[in-house]
Amino acid sequence: SNRRIVNRHTASGAASASSIDQITIKMSDSKIRKSGGATPDEFEVTVAQEFSNLEATSTELKGSLRDLYITAAKEVDCGSGLKAIIIYVPYKQLKAFNKVHARLVRELEKKFSGRHVLIIAQRTILGKSYTRNVKTSGLRPRSRTLTAVQEAILDDLVYPTEIVGKRIRCKVDGKRILKVFLDGKDQANVEGRVDTYAAVYTKLTNKQVSFYFK
């Protein structure tokens, strides 16, 4: 009978562990919604799980994260042994994410130690051949052009630091480098991140960029 009791306890323990796992999966599922209902990959599930953990355990972030979710996440190699995590969020939720940006990034970088976390809004680029449907009319929205989306990505990457100036430098070999001037008051906090910003921007846009403080 003792063996039966042990077996019963083992079975109930396994059942409760299984139910906890299912709850965990449900929570992480609610924190990532990919376009077209695509299935998240393993890394994206890990990031979504950290969002769920923060919502459950952080008194600072609990209320703010309740209605927020991500649309994608990926790890990128920035060279020199540096890695960064890009987290894509719905464009409509960007302002809400910006309100908790500093605390959220700080907590996520603790979890993913050694990697910079960058939050970028998911935007759709509409090509020059874009045509309106029957219900709408007018020109292609400027916010959806390639140039506007790339400018917005730059703003997202350096947030909350303000961009105070931009110049394009043409090198002898014909390559163009975008020189971006950031607000000097944030230099102490941001200086260690600019190499990551530059590497990620180049990977996302195929354009070279260098950062300075003004």
Side-chain angles (χ1 to χ4, degrees):
S1 71
N2 283 346
R3 189 177 298 166
R4 270 193 232 116
I5 291 167
V6 170
N7 287 345
R8 209 179 305 137
H9 283 184
T10 307
S12 65
S16 65
S18 173
S19 62
I20 288 168
D21 286 344
Q22 285 173 354
I23 291 167
T24 301
I25 290 166
K26 271 189 177 180
M27 285 175 69
S28 62
D29 281 353
S30 71
K31 286 296 163 193
I32 180 161
R33 300 179 199 173
K34 289 182 70 69
S35 176
T39 304
D41 63 29
E42 192 177 337
F43 182 71
E44 289 174 325
V45 171
T46 302
V47 173
Q49 184 55 55
E50 290 304 337
F51 267 79
S52 295
N53 293 345
L54 285 173
E55 186 183 330
T57 60
S58 171
T59 50
E60 278 187 305
L61 294 167
K62 185 179 286 188
S64 304
L65 292 181
R66 188 175 294 120
D67 298 321
L68 301 183
Y69 59 90
I70 67 174
T71 57
K74 64 180 178 178
E75 188 176 54
V76 295
D77 191 347
C78 299
S80 305
L82 294 172
K83 288 185 184 291
I85 294 171
I86 304 171
I87 297 175
Y88 289 95
V89 303
Y91 176 74
K92 288 181 179 179
Q93 292 191 355
L94 183 62
K95 284 185 179 178
F97 270 100
N98 283 349
K99 285 178 183 175
V100 293
H101 186 280
R103 281 174 292 170
L104 180 58
V105 167
R106 186 175 65 240
E107 291 301 322
L108 289 172
E109 288 184 348
K110 282 182 194 172
K111 302 290 184 184
F112 298 103
S113 63
R115 286 166 282 185
H116 288 147
V117 172
L118 306 166
I119 295 172
I120 297 175
Q122 190 93 54
R123 296 177 176 88
T124 305
I125 297 168
L126 299 175
K128 290 180 181 178
S129 60
Y130 164 77
T131 52
R132 295 276 192 165
N133 61 26
V134 178
K135 293 181 182 177
T136 57
S137 60
L139 299 170
R140 172 180 56 154
R142 189 194 171 278
S143 63
R144 298 292 190 87
T145 63
L146 176 65
T147 302
V149 169
Q150 290 181 344
E151 285 175 357
I153 287 171
L154 195 56
D155 287 333
D156 289 353
L157 281 177
V158 303
Y159 186 85
T161 301
E162 190 180 347
I163 294 172
V164 295
K166 290 178 194 170
R167 284 183 202 154
I168 291 176
R169 178 183 158 213
C170 293
K171 294 173 76 175
V172 180
D173 59 7
K175 286 183 180 175
R176 290 151 67 93
I177 296 178
L178 177 63
K179 296 175 74 172
V180 177
F181 296 90
L182 302 176
D183 194 332
K185 70 179 174 58
D186 290 340
Q187 184 168 353
N189 297 326
V190 176
E191 205 161 20
R193 302 174 74 89
V194 293
D195 288 344
T196 302
Y197 295 160
V200 169
Y201 187 74
T202 300
K203 281 186 180 290
L204 295 179
T205 66
N206 210 24
K207 290 184 175 180
Q208 283 189 291
V209 63
S210 55
F211 291 93
Y212 304 87
F213 293 92
K214 196 172 182 179

